Amino acid sequence: AVANIGVVGLAVMGSNLARNLASREGNTVAVFNRSRDKTDLLVSEHPEAEFVPAYSYEEFAATLAKPRTAIIMVKAGAATDAVITALTEVFEPGDIIVDGGNALFTDTIRREKAVRETGINFVGAGISGGEEGALTGPSIMPGGPDESWVTLGPILRSIAAVAPDGEPCVTHVGHDGAGHFVKMVHNGIEYADMQLIAEAYDLIRRGTGKTPAEIADVFAEWNTGELESYLIEITAEVLRQVDAATGQPLVDVILDQAGAKGTGAWTVQTALSLGVPVSGIAEATFARSLSSRPDQRAAGAALPGPDEEFEVADADAFIEDVRQALFASKIVAYSQGFDEIRAGAEQYGWSIDLAAISKIWRAGCIIRAQFLNRIADAYGEAPDQPLLMAAPYFADALSRGQAAWRRVVVAAAQAGIPSPAFSSSLAYYDGIRAERLPAALVQGQRDFFGAHTYKRIDKPGTFHTLWSGDRTEVEAEDTH
Ligand code: NBP
């Protein structure tokens, strides 16, 4: 037994993670892949790395020092289950199995429960940052039992991305599926952030007539201020790219149908069942779906839009309005995402430190940004605050930006430019700050057709109006 850590599954993610592990002082890495060729290729291409190749699960277990620790990086779903079963047969109580793939958190909860029966520790770890992150330093979101963290913590800290203040981007998120849950919401927030940036680009382009290269300069400028983030940075790069074949901006020759691998949908489905409004994430996910329905879009193209041309009087002022609308909408999207994490923690019994989550997203992952320090500050100062966007820094930004945000949403609506994430975020903002909501009328309607009852603002109890009788009010059983 010579290796302190092992990796099972040596496709692109697993081999990069294995190389990252091997490059850190003190690690000797056992590597195993179902088919032998990937193992041999990794070992022969990287003679500099201290790999111990294994060609069977038995051999893999034998090369690992106890407690054995293995990270699985195989296809999510049945492949992951197959590898877990094989490892539980050759591992012993106290050993640690980590699933680093993109598992759905409910699968992780199920697997943790089953593996726990054997005395082996199972850890579902969300690993963000793609191929590049796996190699150079990802943001890592591990769940699993506390016992596993003693061994696993130092190993994961050694390979994680490092935030600007020197802290590694990994924390023990919570038990069983907590890590994969947080990774899922991270991806949902990523969807919202990307859609908001795309809407900002579209509005500027159609409102000012600027070229993609000119808009790249706008984003590069924004990247020096409060919007500074990896996604803004790469947006400028994409917009500046010229297609070699046609000489056109690349963004003009890319088919406008956005794909998705499903984590945005998981985030929204989970939010729906938890009763958490994540409208920014939902609109971003639906916007991708809408874009990818060419048959419907072809049919829809016949529908009329506004009569007047969209003309912006002052391009610079409009661009500044869009910047403020983007920042305000981004605050809403993150506030909603963190609400989902809090609701998930309550539902599944996890103790999740929201400030710590914000900090481990500061490097290594797609939504990395300065902005996350502000979220960490807000939750650091008041961990139980009910609404992130009402924390002083964000409330101040929203109060400065809301007039511009409204102007942009109005302009988009009048111009017939779709801005689902901008406008739904504004609607959420106005909903959450409303003194009174028309939910009262909805309760009246529900009571009318279904005797669903309602509560009153002026006295305790549950009431029902006898709608089909004499329309007097009676006290009722609470049937909410
Ligand atoms: P893939 O998702 O393409 O999976 C290929 C690997 O799974 C190969 O090593 C393959 O072995 C192995 N495998 C399969 Br398929 N069935 C198996 C089985 N029954 N038993 C054992 N091994 C099996 O690899 P990837 O693209 O490197 O991704 C790995 C994980 O990382 C996935 O869960 C993915 O969702 C996640 N991922 C995350 C990010 C990110 O940014 N966080 C990016 C990309 C992927 P073989 O060589 O013998 O066929």
Side-chain angles (χ1 to χ4, degrees):
V2 289
N4 66 315
I5 178 80
V7 177
V8 180
L10 303 175
V12 50
M13 287 294 290
S15 53
N16 279 359
L17 200 72
R19 287 172 59 197
N20 184 353
L21 283 160
S23 72
R24 310 294 160 153
E25 192 70 37
N27 285 337
T28 304
V29 186
V31 287
F32 171 67
N33 193 69
R34 177 180 62 174
S35 41
R36 185 187 178 107
D37 53 334
K38 285 197 183 71
T39 314
D40 288 337
L41 191 68
L42 175 68
V43 173
S44 65
E45 282 189 343
H46 297 284
E48 79 286 356
E50 279 203 52
F51 289 132
V52 187
Y55 296 97
S56 68
Y57 285 104
E58 290 76 13
E59 204 185 331
F60 181 72
T63 61
L64 283 164
K66 293 178 192 175
R68 297 181 184 88
T69 308
I71 304 179
I72 303 173
M73 281 308 251
V74 303
K75 213 173 192 59
T80 303
D81 281 312
V83 175
I84 292 169
T85 303
L87 284 177
T88 52
E89 281 163 11
V90 293
F91 275 21
E92 291 169 302
D95 290 349
I96 302 162
I97 298 174
V98 182
D99 172 21
N102 269 339
L104 179 59
F105 75 96
T106 45
D107 285 339
T108 303
I109 292 174
R110 167 180 62 78
R111 288 168 180 150
E112 202 272 341
K113 205 168 163 213
V115 174
R116 200 194 309 151
E117 304 282 305
T118 68
I120 296 168
N121 292 305
F122 182 77
V123 175
I127 300 185
S128 176
E131 296 172 32
E132 179 72 18
L135 183 61
T136 59
S139 169
I140 311 175
M141 293 149 256
D146 294 337
E147 183 185 275
S148 62
W149 190 238
V150 178
T151 306
L152 201 55
I155 295 171
L156 296 184
R157 288 171 75 88
S158 77
I159 57 162
V162 179
D165 66 356
E167 281 187 51
C169 290
V170 58
T171 188
H172 186 207
V173 172
H175 292 159
D176 55 58
H180 276 133
F181 186 97
V182 165
K183 170 63 169 36
M184 172 188 77
V185 176
H186 163 282
N187 284 30
I189 292 174
E190 175 185 312
Y191 275 55
D193 215 337
M194 292 169 70
Q195 174 67 20
L196 290 168
I197 292 171
E199 289 178 18
Y201 149 76
D202 198 27
L203 283 160
I204 293 174
R205 186 151 186 200
R206 292 167 68 172
T208 70
K210 282 187 185 290
T211 64
E214 287 166 339
I215 302 171
D217 292 340
V218 171
F219 279 99
E221 167 67 25
W222 287 359
N223 202 36
T224 63
E226 60 196 356
L227 279 168
E228 191 263 291
S229 64
Y230 171 73
L231 280 171
I232 294 281
E233 178 191 329
I234 66 162
T235 298
E237 302 232 1
V238 173
L239 289 175
R240 206 167 274 134
Q241 184 74 12
V242 173
D243 174 48
T246 61
Q248 297 291 309
L250 180 67
V251 72
D252 286 348
V253 297
I254 295 177
L255 190 67
D256 60 345
Q257 297 176 16
K261 291 209 282 185
T263 43
W266 286 353
T267 312
V268 178
Q269 285 161 352
T270 304
L272 286 171
S273 52
L274 290 170
V276 184
V278 291
S279 47
I281 299 169
E283 289 295 353
T285 308
F286 289 141
R288 291 194 191 187
S289 309
L290 183 152
S291 77
S292 301
R293 296 294 302 268
D295 53 337
Q296 290 198 317
R297 290 177 62 188
L303 298 170
D307 292 332
E308 283 160 41
E309 285 287 301
F310 183 37
E311 247 182 290
V312 163
D314 181 339
D316 287 343
F318 181 68
I319 289 169
E320 174 55 16
D321 276 1
V322 172
R323 189 190 69 78
Q324 299 217 29
L326 175 54
F327 193 54
S329 305
K330 176 170 166 141
I331 291 170
V332 169
Y334 281 68
S335 188
Q336 294 178 337
F338 276 86
D339 280 349
E340 182 165 353
I341 296 176
R342 191 204 301 272
E346 274 167 25
Q347 173 74 24
Y348 295 100
W350 302 317
S351 161
I352 299 184
D353 177 346
L354 298 177
I357 299 307
S358 181
K359 284 187 178 174
I360 65 169
W361 289 346
R362 290 178 302 163
C365 64
I366 305 300
I367 64 171
R368 59 185 182 257
Q370 284 292 337
F371 177 75
L372 292 158
N373 280 314
R374 301 299 192 164
I375 297 178
D377 290 346
Y379 281 122
E381 279 159 27
D384 294 327
Q385 64 180 298
L387 186 68
L388 178 65
M389 60 195 259
Y393 172 82
F394 299 111
D396 183 54
L398 290 167
S399 114
R400 273 185 285 114
Q402 59 133 351
W405 194 9
R406 293 181 196 286
R407 284 193 294 273
V408 169
V409 170
V410 167
Q414 283 183 335
I417 299 173
S419 61
F422 273 13
S423 49
S424 75
S425 303
L426 180 58
Y428 176 86
Y429 173 79
D430 284 329
I432 211 80
R433 61 174 203 86
E435 203 174 317
R436 238 182 111 64
L437 288 168
L441 177 57
V442 172
Q443 284 297 80
Q445 294 163 333
R446 294 178 70 238
D447 190 57
F448 188 102
F449 65 68
H452 292 301
T453 76
Y454 50 86
K455 294 191 189 301
R456 297 181 55 98
I457 59 170
D458 53 359
K459 57 180 175 185
T462 302
F463 302 92
H464 168 56
T465 290
L466 300 169
W467 294 104
S468 46
D470 64 1
R471 302 210 165 179
T472 54
E473 184 177 77
V474 294
E475 284 233 36
E477 293 270 301
D478 189 342
T479 59
H480 281 263

